[in-house]
Amino acid sequence: MANDNLNKLRQRLLFFLTDMIIRIPKVRVLFYHGVLFGLDWPLKPLADRMRVQYWRLNLKHLGEGSRISDHVKILHGENIVIGDRTSINNHIILDGTGGITIGNDVLLGFESIILSANWNFSDPAIPIKLQGQTKNKIVIGNDVWVGTRVIITSGVTIGDGAVVAAGAVVTKDVTPYTIVGGVPAREIGKRSMQMHGEDEK
C-alpha cells in the first residue's frame, strides 16, 4: 500500500514538472525531441501520456482519448483540430498550414503525410519557389481508416466511415463509406451496411 502511494506521488510530481517544462517554448522543443522520443518500455506508457499533454499545448484542439505516437512531425499545430479517440501513428507528417480537421475514432497509418498547402507552378517564367502556396483545409470525418504511407493533398475532404488503402495518393474528395486506393486514389469499393448488421434479418 505504501509503495502504491509512493508511486502515485512520484507520477503526480513527474506530470507537474512536465506541465511546467512544456510551457517554456524553447525548453519544450528540447524536452519533446530529447526525452519523449527516447523513452521506451517500461516508460513508454508514461511517455505517451506526457506526449498528449505536450500536444494539447501545441494544437488548436486534441480530443479526449486520442493518441499521438512518437516521431510524429506536426507543422502549424495551431491550425489542427483532432477529435476524440483518434490514433496518429508513428512517422506521420501533419502540415497544418492551410488547416486540418480530423474527426473522432480515426486511424492514421504509419508514415502517412497530410499536406494542407501546395506550391503554385502555373507560370513557367517564375521559379516555383517564388510563386507562393495555395492553402486549403483538409477535413477527415469520423470513423475513417487511412492506411500506411498514404498522402492526402490540400483541399481534400474524406467523408465519415471511408477507408483509404495503403500507398494511395488522395487528390479528390472521398464520399462517406467509400473505399479508395491507387495513385491517384479512386473508388475500389463500398463499405456495406451489412458490416454493421443493419441488413441482417
Side-chain angles (χ1 to χ4, degrees), residues 114-159:
I114 300 178
L115 303 169
S116 60
N118 282 325
W119 285 99
N120 300 319
F121 56 86
S122 58
D123 190 344
I126 301 174
I128 292 173
K129 68 178 182 179
L130 299 180
Q131 293 189 46
Q133 291 181 302
T134 299
K135 305 171 186 178
N136 287 303
K137 187 176 182 179
I138 291 172
V139 177
I140 299 174
N142 301 318
D143 186 32
V144 172
W145 176 21
V146 175
T148 298
R149 294 185 176 176
V150 167
I151 297 174
I152 301 172
T153 60
S154 178
V156 164
T157 294
I158 298 178

Side-chain angles (χ1 to χ4, degrees), residues 1 24 51 65 130:
M1 187 70 177
I24 306 171
R51 196 178 298 110
L130 299 180

Side-chain angles (χ1 to χ4, degrees), residues 52-92:
V52 166
Q53 288 182 298
Y54 172 87
W55 285 119
R56 282 227 162 91
L57 290 175
N58 287 274
L59 299 178
K60 187 173 182 179
H61 176 75
L62 178 61
E64 292 300 318
S66 289
R67 182 179 68 88
I68 297 179
S69 297
D70 53 6
H71 297 91
V72 171
K73 185 169 186 177
I74 296 179
L75 307 173
H76 297 285
E78 68 277 7
N79 300 326
I80 296 176
V81 172
I82 298 174
D84 299 334
R85 302 173 303 279
T86 284
S87 179
I88 311 295
N89 240 312
N90 296 326
H91 299 282
I92 284 175

Side-chain angles (χ1 to χ4, degrees), residues 13-29:
L13 283 172
L14 186 54
F15 280 122
F16 174 76
L17 289 173
T18 301
D19 283 335
M20 296 299 293
I21 289 170
I22 62 181
R23 291 177 194 280
I24 306 171
K26 290 184 179 179
V27 175
R28 180 169 66 214
V29 174

